[in-house]
Amino acid sequence: EIVMTQSPATLSVSPGERATLSCRASQSVSSNLAWYHQKPGQAPRLLIYGASTRATGIPARFSGSGSGTEFTLTISSLQSEDFAVYYCQQYNNWPRTFGQGTKVEIK
Amino acid sequence: QVQLVQSGAEVKKPGASMKVSCKASGYTFTTFYIHWVRQAPGQGLEWMGIINPNSGSTIYAQKFQGRVTMTRDTSTSTVYMELSGLRSEDTAVYYCARAPFDSGAGWFDPWGQGTLITVSS
């Protein structure tokens, strides 16, 4: 199965600052990569699919890039509601697999 | 609006079976896949399998083969996930999530609210 590795495990950022999260696949997943965030006690929510397409209703401060094995999620100016755990997920191969998550916390 | 509403929390004994339901509304039930994903306490997300509500065909993660069964009832727009031979390690929140046919069953949107299953003697 494809192993998804996210870094860093925890990212401490001040509100208004930029956050950059990384996701690496153990083999190429083309652009078949999605990003989600999850707040405590809630279900995950889709942010990005196709590596770079924002889901409906997702603000423009979220952007995704990359293809193959290296991907990045950038949050241009962190808002209070963005502090959460972020997961990447590949859908190029079965089984579908997720990264272990990056927690974005308030600095 | 599109919604997936799951059944409520349960406590199960080791060795028992559980069955979680996921009722879809706000779209045509047979035109989107449904995935099941679980999350153990304080842990990440683990994909369990997928069902095509139109055909009933399924793909299960190898880890759960032989223990998991996913079914659907098109008359009520409901998908079910049954897991047998429960052990303490199966304590988790179980989520259903929709995926579009034209994405190759790719991304998950939206997700159900989650169902906490606690396995304890």
Coordinates of all heavy atoms in Angstrom, one line a residue, chain A residues 7-104:
Chain A
S7 N 4.6 16.2 7.2 CA 5.5 16.9 8.1 C 5.2 18.4 8.1 O 4.6 18.9 7.1 CB 6.9 16.7 7.6 OG 7.1 17.1 6.3
P8 N 5.4 19.1 9.2 CA 5.8 18.5 10.5 C 4.6 17.8 11.2 O 3.5 17.9 10.7 CB 6.4 19.7 11.3 CG 5.5 20.8 10.8 CD 5.2 20.5 9.3
A9 N 4.9 17.2 12.3 CA 3.8 16.6 13.1 C 3.0 17.7 13.7 O 1.7 17.6 13.8 CB 4.3 15.6 14.1
T10 N 3.7 18.7 14.2 CA 3.0 19.9 14.8 C 3.6 21.2 14.2 O 4.8 21.2 14.1 CB 3.2 19.9 16.3 OG1 2.6 18.7 16.8 CG2 2.4 21.0 17.0
L11 N 2.8 22.1 13.9 CA 3.2 23.4 13.4 C 2.6 24.5 14.3 O 1.4 24.6 14.4 CB 2.7 23.6 12.0 CG 3.2 24.7 11.1 CD1 4.7 24.7 11.0 CD2 2.6 24.7 9.7
S12 N 3.5 25.3 14.9 CA 3.0 26.4 15.7 C 3.1 27.7 14.9 O 4.2 28.1 14.5 CB 3.9 26.5 17.0 OG 3.8 25.3 17.8
V13 N 1.9 28.4 14.8 CA 1.8 29.5 13.9 C 1.0 30.6 14.6 O 0.0 30.3 15.3 CB 1.2 29.2 12.6 CG1 1.2 30.3 11.6 CG2 1.9 28.0 11.9
S14 N 1.4 31.9 14.4 CA 0.6 33.0 15.0 C -0.6 33.3 14.0 O -0.4 33.2 12.8 CB 1.5 34.2 15.2 OG 2.5 33.9 16.1
P15 N -1.7 33.7 14.5 CA -2.8 34.2 13.6 C -2.3 35.2 12.6 O -1.5 36.1 13.0 CB -3.8 34.8 14.6 CG -3.6 34.0 15.9 CD -2.1 33.8 15.9
G16 N -2.7 35.1 11.4 CA -2.3 36.1 10.3 C -1.0 35.6 9.6 O -0.7 36.1 8.5
E17 N -0.3 34.6 10.2 CA 0.9 34.2 9.5 C 0.6 33.1 8.5 O -0.5 32.5 8.4 CB 1.9 33.6 10.5 CG 2.6 34.7 11.4 CD 3.7 34.1 12.2 OE1 3.7 32.9 12.4 OE2 4.6 34.9 12.7
R18 N 1.6 32.7 7.7 CA 1.5 31.7 6.7 C 1.9 30.4 7.2 O 2.8 30.3 8.0 CB 2.4 32.1 5.5 CG 2.4 31.2 4.3 CD 3.5 31.7 3.4 NE 3.4 31.1 2.0 CZ 2.8 31.7 1.0 NH1 2.2 32.8 1.2 NH2 2.8 31.1 -0.2
A19 N 1.1 29.3 6.8 CA 1.5 28.0 7.2 C 1.7 27.1 6.0 O 0.9 27.2 5.0 CB 0.4 27.4 8.1
T20 N 2.7 26.3 6.0 CA 3.0 25.4 4.9 C 3.2 24.0 5.4 O 4.0 23.7 6.3 CB 4.4 25.8 4.2 OG1 4.2 27.2 3.8 CG2 4.6 24.9 3.0
L21 N 2.3 23.1 4.9 CA 2.3 21.7 5.4 C 2.7 20.8 4.2 O 2.3 21.1 3.0 CB 0.9 21.3 5.8 CG 0.3 21.9 7.1 CD1 0.0 23.4 7.0 CD2 -1.0 21.2 7.4
S22 N 3.4 19.8 4.5 CA 3.9 18.9 3.5 C 3.4 17.5 3.6 O 3.1 17.0 4.7 CB 5.5 18.8 3.6 OG 6.1 20.0 3.3
C23 N 3.3 16.8 2.5 CA 2.8 15.4 2.4 C 3.6 14.7 1.3 O 3.7 15.2 0.2 CB 1.3 15.4 2.0 SG 0.6 13.8 1.7
R24 N 4.1 13.6 1.7 CA 4.9 12.8 0.7 C 4.4 11.4 0.6 O 4.0 10.8 1.6 CB 6.4 12.7 1.2 CG 7.3 11.8 0.4 CD 8.7 11.8 0.9 NE 9.3 13.1 0.7 CZ 10.6 13.5 1.0 NH1 11.3 12.6 1.7 NH2 11.1 14.6 0.8
A25 N 4.3 10.9 -0.7 CA 3.8 9.6 -0.9 C 5.0 8.7 -1.2 O 6.0 9.1 -1.8 CB 2.9 9.6 -2.2
S26 N 4.8 7.4 -0.8 CA 5.9 6.4 -1.0 C 6.1 6.0 -2.4 O 7.1 5.4 -2.8 CB 5.6 5.2 -0.1 OG 4.4 4.6 -0.5
Q27 N 5.1 6.3 -3.3 CA 5.2 6.1 -4.7 C 4.3 7.1 -5.4 O 3.4 7.7 -4.7 CB 4.9 4.7 -5.2 CG 3.5 4.2 -4.9 CD 3.3 2.8 -5.2 OE1 3.7 1.9 -4.4 NE2 2.7 2.5 -6.3
S28 N 4.4 7.3 -6.7 CA 3.6 8.4 -7.3 C 2.1 8.1 -7.2 O 1.7 7.0 -7.4 CB 4.0 8.5 -8.8 OG 3.2 9.4 -9.4
V29 N 1.4 9.2 -6.9 CA 0.0 9.2 -6.9 C -0.6 10.2 -7.9 O -1.8 10.5 -7.9 CB -0.6 9.5 -5.5 CG1 -0.2 8.4 -4.5 CG2 -0.2 10.9 -5.0
S30 N 0.3 10.6 -8.8 CA -0.1 11.6 -9.9 C -0.7 12.8 -9.1 O 0.0 13.3 -8.2 CB -1.2 10.9 -10.8 OG -1.4 11.8 -11.9
S31 N -1.8 13.3 -9.5 CA -2.5 14.4 -8.8 C -3.7 14.0 -8.0 O -4.5 14.8 -7.6 CB -2.9 15.5 -9.8 OG -1.8 16.1 -10.4
N32 N -3.7 12.7 -7.7 CA -4.9 12.1 -7.0 C -4.7 12.2 -5.5 O -4.5 11.2 -4.8 CB -5.1 10.7 -7.4 CG -5.4 10.6 -8.9 OD1 -6.3 11.3 -9.4 ND2 -4.8 9.7 -9.6
L33 N -4.7 13.5 -5.0 CA -4.4 13.8 -3.6 C -5.4 14.8 -3.1 O -5.7 15.8 -3.8 CB -3.0 14.4 -3.6 CG -2.2 14.6 -2.2 CD1 -2.7 15.8 -1.5 CD2 -2.2 13.3 -1.4
A34 N -5.9 14.5 -1.9 CA -6.9 15.4 -1.2 C -6.3 15.8 0.1 O -5.5 15.1 0.7 CB -8.2 14.7 -1.1
W35 N -6.8 17.0 0.6 CA -6.5 17.5 1.9 C -7.8 17.7 2.7 O -8.8 18.2 2.1 CB -5.8 18.8 1.8 CG -4.4 18.8 1.3 CD1 -3.9 19.0 0.0 CD2 -3.2 18.6 2.1 NE1 -2.6 18.9 -0.1 CE2 -2.1 18.6 1.2 CE3 -2.9 18.4 3.4 CZ2 -0.7 18.5 1.6 CZ3 -1.6 18.2 3.9 CH2 -0.5 18.3 2.9
Y36 N -7.7 17.4 4.0 CA -8.9 17.6 4.9 C -8.4 18.3 6.1 O -7.2 18.2 6.5 CB -9.5 16.3 5.3 CG -9.9 15.4 4.2 CD1 -9.0 14.5 3.6 CD2 -11.2 15.4 3.7 CE1 -9.3 13.7 2.5 CE2 -11.6 14.6 2.6 CZ -10.6 13.7 2.1 OH -11.0 12.9 1.0
H37 N -9.3 19.0 6.8 CA -8.9 19.4 8.2 C -10.0 18.9 9.1 O -11.2 18.6 8.7 CB -8.6 20.9 8.3 CG -9.8 21.8 8.2 ND1 -9.7 23.2 8.3 CD2 -11.1 21.6 8.0 CE1 -10.9 23.7 8.1 NE2 -11.8 22.8 8.0
Q38 N -9.6 18.7 10.4 CA -10.5 18.2 11.4 C -10.3 18.9 12.7 O -9.2 19.0 13.2 CB -10.2 16.7 11.6 CG -11.2 16.0 12.6 CD -10.9 14.5 12.8 OE1 -9.7 14.1 12.8 NE2 -12.0 13.8 13.0
K39 N -11.4 19.5 13.2 CA -11.4 20.2 14.4 C -11.9 19.2 15.5 O -12.6 18.2 15.2 CB -12.4 21.4 14.4 CG -11.9 22.4 13.3 CD -12.9 23.5 13.2 CE -12.4 24.4 12.0 NZ -13.4 25.5 11.8
P40 N -11.5 19.4 16.8 CA -11.8 18.5 17.8 C -13.3 18.2 17.9 O -14.1 19.1 17.9 CB -11.3 19.2 19.1 CG -10.2 20.1 18.6 CD -10.7 20.5 17.2
G41 N -13.6 16.9 18.0 CA -15.0 16.5 18.1 C -15.8 16.5 16.8 O -17.0 16.3 16.9
Q42 N -15.2 16.9 15.7 CA -15.9 17.0 14.5 C -15.4 16.0 13.4 O -14.3 15.5 13.6 CB -15.8 18.4 13.9 CG -16.4 19.5 14.7 CD -16.4 20.9 14.1 OE1 -16.2 21.0 12.9 NE2 -16.5 21.9 14.9
A43 N -16.2 15.8 12.4 CA -15.7 15.0 11.3 C -14.7 15.8 10.4 O -14.8 17.0 10.4 CB -16.9 14.5 10.4
P44 N -13.9 15.1 9.7 CA -13.0 15.8 8.7 C -13.8 16.5 7.7 O -15.0 16.2 7.4 CB -12.2 14.7 8.1 CG -12.2 13.6 9.1 CD -13.6 13.6 9.7
R45 N -13.2 17.6 7.1 CA -13.9 18.3 6.1 C -12.9 18.5 4.9 O -11.7 18.8 5.1 CB -14.3 19.7 6.5 CG -15.0 20.6 5.5 CD -15.3 21.9 5.9 NE -16.0 22.7 4.9 CZ -16.3 24.0 4.9 NH1 -16.0 24.7 6.0 NH2 -17.0 24.6 3.9
L46 N -13.4 18.2 3.7 CA -12.6 18.3 2.5 C -12.2 19.8 2.2 O -13.1 20.7 2.2 CB -13.4 17.8 1.3 CG -12.7 17.8 -0.1 CD1 -11.5 16.9 -0.1 CD2 -13.7 17.6 -1.2
L47 N -10.9 20.0 2.0 CA -10.4 21.3 1.6 C -10.0 21.3 0.1 O -10.4 22.3 -0.6 CB -9.2 21.6 2.4 CG -9.3 21.7 3.9 CD1 -7.9 21.8 4.6 CD2 -10.2 22.8 4.3
I48 N -9.2 20.4 -0.3 CA -8.6 20.3 -1.6 C -8.7 19.0 -2.2 O -8.6 18.0 -1.5 CB -7.1 20.7 -1.5 CG1 -6.9 22.1 -0.9 CG2 -6.4 20.5 -2.9 CD1 -7.1 23.2 -1.8
Y49 N -9.0 18.9 -3.5 CA -8.9 17.6 -4.2 C -8.1 17.8 -5.5 O -7.9 19.0 -5.9 CB -10.3 17.0 -4.5 CG -11.2 17.8 -5.3 CD1 -11.2 17.7 -6.7 CD2 -12.0 18.8 -4.7 CE1 -12.1 18.4 -7.5 CE2 -12.9 19.5 -5.5 CZ -12.9 19.4 -6.9 OH -13.7 20.1 -7.7
G50 N -7.7 16.7 -6.2 CA -6.9 16.9 -7.4 C -5.6 17.7 -7.1 O -5.1 18.3 -8.0
A51 N -5.1 17.6 -5.9 CA -3.9 18.2 -5.4 C -4.0 19.8 -5.3 O -3.3 20.3 -4.5 CB -2.7 17.9 -6.3
S52 N -4.9 20.4 -6.1 CA -4.9 21.9 -6.1 C -6.2 22.5 -6.3 O -6.3 23.7 -6.3 CB -3.9 22.4 -7.2 OG -4.4 21.9 -8.5
T53 N -7.3 21.7 -6.4 CA -8.6 22.3 -6.6 C -9.3 22.5 -5.2 O -9.5 21.5 -4.5 CB -9.5 21.4 -7.5 OG1 -8.8 21.3 -8.8 CG2 -10.9 22.0 -7.7
R54 N -9.7 23.7 -4.9 CA -10.4 23.9 -3.7 C -11.9 23.4 -3.8 O -12.6 23.5 -4.8 CB -10.5 25.4 -3.4 CG -9.3 26.0 -2.7 CD -9.5 27.4 -2.2 NE -10.0 28.3 -3.3 CZ -9.2 28.9 -4.1 NH1 -7.9 28.7 -4.1 NH2 -9.7 29.7 -5.1
A55 N -12.3 22.7 -2.7 CA -13.6 22.2 -2.6 C -14.6 23.4 -2.5 O -14.2 24.5 -2.1 CB -13.8 21.3 -1.4
T56 N -15.9 23.1 -2.7 CA -16.9 24.2 -2.6 C -16.9 24.8 -1.2 O -16.9 24.1 -0.2 CB -18.3 23.5 -2.9 OG1 -18.3 22.9 -4.2 CG2 -19.4 24.6 -2.8
G57 N -16.9 26.1 -1.2 CA -17.0 26.9 0.0 C -15.7 27.1 0.8 O -15.7 27.7 1.8
I58 N -14.6 26.6 0.2 CA -13.3 26.7 0.9 C -12.7 28.0 0.5 O -12.5 28.3 -0.7 CB -12.4 25.5 0.6 CG1 -13.0 24.2 1.0 CG2 -11.0 25.7 1.2 CD1 -13.4 24.1 2.5
P59 N -12.2 28.8 1.5 CA -11.7 30.1 1.2 C -10.4 30.1 0.4 O -9.7 29.1 0.4 CB -11.4 30.7 2.6 CG -12.2 29.9 3.6 CD -12.3 28.6 3.0
A60 N -10.1 31.2 -0.3 CA -9.0 31.2 -1.2 C -7.7 31.2 -0.5 O -6.6 31.0 -1.1 CB -9.1 32.5 -2.1
R61 N -7.7 31.4 0.8 CA -6.4 31.4 1.6 C -5.8 30.0 1.6 O -4.6 29.8 1.9 CB -6.6 32.0 3.0 CG -7.5 31.2 3.9 CD -7.5 31.8 5.3 NE -8.4 31.1 6.2 CZ -9.7 31.3 6.3 NH1 -10.3 32.2 5.6 NH2 -10.4 30.6 7.2
F62 N -6.6 29.0 1.3 CA -6.1 27.6 1.2 C -5.7 27.3 -0.2 O -6.5 27.5 -1.2 CB -7.2 26.6 1.6 CG -7.6 26.6 3.1 CD1 -8.6 27.5 3.5 CD2 -6.9 25.9 4.0 CE1 -8.9 27.5 4.9 CE2 -7.2 25.9 5.3 CZ -8.2 26.7 5.8
S63 N -4.5 26.8 -0.4 CA -4.0 26.4 -1.7 C -3.2 25.2 -1.6 O -2.5 24.9 -0.7 CB -3.2 27.5 -2.4 OG -2.1 27.8 -1.7
G64 N -3.3 24.3 -2.7 CA -2.6 23.1 -2.7 C -1.7 23.0 -4.0 O -2.1 23.6 -5.0
S65 N -0.6 22.3 -3.9 CA 0.3 22.2 -5.0 C 1.0 20.8 -4.9 O 1.0 20.2 -3.9 CB 1.3 23.3 -5.1 OG 2.1 23.3 -3.9
G66 N 1.6 20.5 -6.1 CA 2.4 19.3 -6.1 C 1.8 18.2 -7.0 O 0.7 18.3 -7.5
S67 N 2.6 17.2 -7.3 CA 2.2 16.1 -8.1 C 3.2 15.0 -7.9 O 4.4 15.3 -7.5 CB 2.0 16.4 -9.6 OG 3.2 16.7 -10.2
G68 N 2.8 13.8 -8.2 CA 3.8 12.7 -8.1 C 3.9 12.2 -6.6 O 3.0 11.5 -6.1
T69 N 4.9 12.6 -6.0 CA 5.1 12.1 -4.6 C 5.2 13.3 -3.6 O 5.3 13.0 -2.4 CB 6.4 11.3 -4.4 OG1 7.6 12.1 -4.8 CG2 6.4 10.0 -5.3
E70 N 5.3 14.5 -4.0 CA 5.5 15.6 -3.1 C 4.4 16.6 -3.2 O 4.1 17.1 -4.3 CB 6.8 16.4 -3.4 CG 8.1 15.5 -3.3 CD 8.4 15.2 -1.8 OE1 8.0 16.0 -0.9 OE2 9.2 14.3 -1.6
F71 N 3.7 17.0 -2.1 CA 2.6 17.9 -2.1 C 2.7 18.8 -1.0 O 3.3 18.6 0.1 CB 1.3 17.0 -2.0 CG 1.1 16.0 -3.1 CD1 1.6 14.8 -2.9 CD2 0.4 16.4 -4.2 CE1 1.5 13.8 -4.0 CE2 0.2 15.5 -5.2 CZ 0.8 14.2 -5.1
T72 N 2.1 20.0 -1.2 CA 2.1 21.1 -0.2 C 0.7 21.7 -0.1 O 0.0 21.9 -1.1 CB 3.1 22.2 -0.6 OG1 4.4 21.6 -0.7 CG2 3.1 23.3 0.5
L73 N 0.3 21.9 1.2 CA -0.9 22.7 1.5 C -0.4 24.0 2.1 O 0.3 24.0 3.1 CB -1.8 22.0 2.4 CG -3.1 22.8 2.9 CD1 -4.1 23.0 1.7 CD2 -3.8 22.1 4.1
T74 N -0.9 25.1 1.6 CA -0.5 26.4 2.1 C -1.7 27.2 2.6 O -2.7 27.2 1.9 CB 0.3 27.3 1.1 OG1 1.4 26.6 0.6 CG2 0.7 28.6 1.7
I75 N -1.6 27.7 3.8 CA -2.7 28.6 4.3 C -2.1 30.0 4.4 O -1.1 30.2 5.2 CB -3.2 28.1 5.7 CG1 -3.5 26.6 5.7 CG2 -4.5 28.9 6.1 CD1 -3.8 26.0 7.0
S76 N -2.5 30.9 3.6 CA -1.8 32.1 3.4 C -1.8 33.0 4.6 O -0.8 33.7 4.9 CB -2.3 32.9 2.2 OG -3.7 33.2 2.4
S77 N -2.9 33.1 5.3 CA -3.0 33.9 6.5 C -3.9 33.2 7.5 O -5.2 33.3 7.3 CB -3.5 35.3 6.1 OG -3.8 36.1 7.3
L78 N -3.4 32.6 8.5 CA -4.1 31.8 9.4 C -5.2 32.5 10.2 O -4.9 33.6 10.8 CB -3.2 31.0 10.4 CG -2.7 29.7 9.8 CD1 -1.4 29.3 10.5 CD2 -3.8 28.6 10.0
Q79 N -6.4 32.0 10.1 CA -7.5 32.6 10.9 C -7.7 31.6 12.1 O -7.3 30.5 12.1 CB -8.8 32.6 10.1 CG -8.6 33.4 8.8 CD -8.2 34.8 9.0 OE1 -9.0 35.6 9.7 NE2 -7.1 35.3 8.4
S80 N -8.5 32.1 13.1 CA -8.7 31.3 14.3 C -9.3 30.0 14.0 O -9.0 29.0 14.7 CB -9.5 32.1 15.3 OG -10.8 32.5 14.7
E81 N -10.2 30.0 13.1 CA -10.9 28.7 12.7 C -10.1 27.7 12.0 O -10.5 26.6 11.7 CB -12.2 29.0 11.9 CG -12.0 29.7 10.6 CD -12.0 31.2 10.7 OE1 -11.7 31.8 11.7 OE2 -12.4 31.8 9.6
D82 N -8.8 28.1 11.6 CA -8.0 27.2 10.9 C -7.1 26.3 11.8 O -6.4 25.4 11.3 CB -7.0 28.0 9.9 CG -7.8 28.8 8.9 OD1 -9.0 28.4 8.6 OD2 -7.3 29.8 8.5
F83 N -7.1 26.6 13.1 CA -6.3 25.7 14.0 C -7.0 24.4 14.1 O -8.1 24.3 14.7 CB -6.0 26.5 15.3 CG -5.2 27.7 15.1 CD1 -5.7 29.0 14.9 CD2 -3.8 27.5 15.0 CE1 -4.9 30.1 14.7 CE2 -3.0 28.6 14.8 CZ -3.5 29.9 14.6
A84 N -6.3 23.4 13.6 CA -7.0 22.0 13.5 C -5.9 21.0 13.1 O -4.7 21.4 13.0 CB -8.0 22.1 12.4
V85 N -6.3 19.8 12.9 CA -5.4 18.8 12.4 C -5.7 18.6 10.9 O -6.9 18.6 10.5 CB -5.6 17.4 13.1 CG1 -4.7 16.4 12.5 CG2 -5.3 17.6 14.6
Y86 N -4.6 18.6 10.1 CA -4.8 18.5 8.6 C -4.3 17.1 8.2 O -3.2 16.6 8.6 CB -4.0 19.6 8.0 CG -4.6 20.9 8.2 CD1 -4.5 21.6 9.4 CD2 -5.4 21.5 7.2 CE1 -5.1 22.8 9.6 CE2 -6.0 22.7 7.4 CZ -5.9 23.4 8.6 OH -6.5 24.6 8.8
Y87 N -5.0 16.5 7.3 CA -4.7 15.2 6.7 C -4.6 15.2 5.2 O -5.4 15.9 4.6 CB -5.7 14.1 7.1 CG -5.8 13.8 8.6 CD1 -6.8 14.4 9.4 CD2 -5.0 12.9 9.2 CE1 -6.9 14.1 10.7 CE2 -5.1 12.6 10.5 CZ -6.0 13.2 11.3 OH -6.1 12.9 12.6
C88 N -3.6 14.5 4.7 CA -3.6 14.3 3.2 C -4.1 12.9 3.0 O -4.0 12.0 3.9 CB -2.3 14.6 2.6 SG -0.9 13.5 3.2
Q89 N -4.6 12.6 1.8 CA -5.1 11.3 1.4 C -4.9 11.1 -0.1 O -5.2 11.9 -0.9 CB -6.6 11.2 1.7 CG -7.3 10.0 1.3 CD -8.5 10.2 0.3 OE1 -9.1 11.3 0.3 NE2 -8.7 9.3 -0.6
Q90 N -4.4 9.9 -0.4 CA -4.2 9.5 -1.8 C -5.4 8.7 -2.3 O -5.9 7.8 -1.5 CB -2.9 8.9 -2.1 CG -2.7 7.5 -1.4 CD -3.3 6.4 -2.2 OE1 -3.6 6.5 -3.4 NE2 -3.6 5.2 -1.6
Y91 N -5.8 8.9 -3.5 CA -6.8 8.1 -4.1 C -6.4 7.6 -5.5 O -7.2 7.4 -6.4 CB -8.2 8.8 -4.2 CG -8.2 10.2 -4.8 CD1 -8.5 10.4 -6.1 CD2 -8.0 11.3 -4.0 CE1 -8.5 11.6 -6.7 CE2 -8.0 12.6 -4.6 CZ -8.3 12.7 -5.9 OH -8.3 14.0 -6.5
N92 N -5.1 7.3 -5.6 CA -4.6 6.8 -6.9 C -4.6 5.3 -6.9 O -4.8 4.6 -7.9 CB -3.2 7.3 -7.1 CG -2.7 7.1 -8.5 OD1 -3.2 7.7 -9.4 ND2 -1.7 6.2 -8.7
N93 N -4.5 4.7 -5.7 CA -4.4 3.2 -5.5 C -5.3 2.8 -4.4 O -5.6 3.5 -3.5 CB -2.9 2.8 -5.2 CG -2.0 2.9 -6.4 OD1 -1.9 4.0 -7.0 ND2 -1.4 1.8 -6.7
W94 N -5.6 1.4 -4.5 CA -6.3 0.8 -3.4 C -5.2 0.1 -2.5 O -4.3 -0.5 -3.0 CB -7.3 -0.3 -3.8 CG -8.3 0.3 -4.7 CD1 -8.4 0.3 -6.1 CD2 -9.5 1.1 -4.3 NE1 -9.5 0.9 -6.6 CE2 -10.2 1.4 -5.5 CE3 -10.0 1.4 -3.1 CZ2 -11.4 2.1 -5.5 CZ3 -11.2 2.2 -3.1 CH2 -11.9 2.5 -4.2
P95 N -5.3 0.1 -1.2 CA -6.4 0.8 -0.4 C -6.1 2.3 -0.4 O -5.0 2.8 -0.5 CB -6.2 0.3 1.0 CG -4.8 -0.1 1.1 CD -4.4 -0.5 -0.3
R96 N -7.2 3.1 -0.2 CA -7.0 4.5 0.0 C -6.2 4.7 1.3 O -6.5 4.0 2.3 CB -8.3 5.3 0.1 CG -9.3 5.1 -1.1 CD -8.6 5.3 -2.4 NE -9.5 5.5 -3.5 CZ -9.3 5.1 -4.7 NH1 -8.2 4.5 -5.0 NH2 -10.2 5.3 -5.7
T97 N -5.3 5.6 1.4 CA -4.5 5.8 2.6 C -4.4 7.3 2.9 O -4.4 8.2 2.1 CB -3.1 5.2 2.4 OG1 -2.5 5.6 1.2 CG2 -3.2 3.7 2.5
F98 N -4.3 7.6 4.2 CA -4.1 8.9 4.8 C -2.7 9.1 5.4 O -2.1 8.1 5.9 CB -5.2 9.1 5.9 CG -6.6 9.1 5.5 CD1 -7.3 8.0 5.4 CD2 -7.2 10.3 5.2 CE1 -8.6 8.0 5.0 CE2 -8.6 10.4 4.8 CZ -9.3 9.2 4.7
G99 N -2.3 10.3 5.4 CA -1.2 10.7 6.2 C -1.5 10.6 7.7 O -2.7 10.6 8.1
Q100 N -0.5 10.8 8.6 CA -0.8 10.7 10.0 C -1.3 12.0 10.6 O -1.7 12.0 11.8 CB 0.5 10.2 10.7 CG 1.5 11.3 11.0 CD 2.4 11.6 9.8 OE1 2.1 11.3 8.6 NE2 3.4 12.4 10.1
G101 N -1.3 13.0 9.8 CA -1.8 14.3 10.3 C -0.7 15.3 10.7 O 0.3 14.9 11.2
T102 N -1.0 16.6 10.5 CA -0.2 17.7 11.0 C -1.2 18.6 11.8 O -2.2 19.0 11.4 CB 0.4 18.6 9.9 OG1 1.4 17.8 9.2 CG2 0.9 19.9 10.4
K103 N -0.8 18.8 13.1 CA -1.6 19.6 14.0 C -1.1 21.1 13.8 O 0.1 21.3 14.1 CB -1.5 19.2 15.4 CG -2.3 20.0 16.4 CD -2.2 19.5 17.8 CE -3.1 20.3 18.7 NZ -3.0 19.8 20.1
V104 N -2.0 22.0 13.5 CA -1.6 23.4 13.4 C -2.2 24.0 14.7 O -3.4 24.1 14.9 CB -2.2 24.0 12.1 CG1 -1.9 25.5 12.1 CG2 -1.7 23.4 10.9

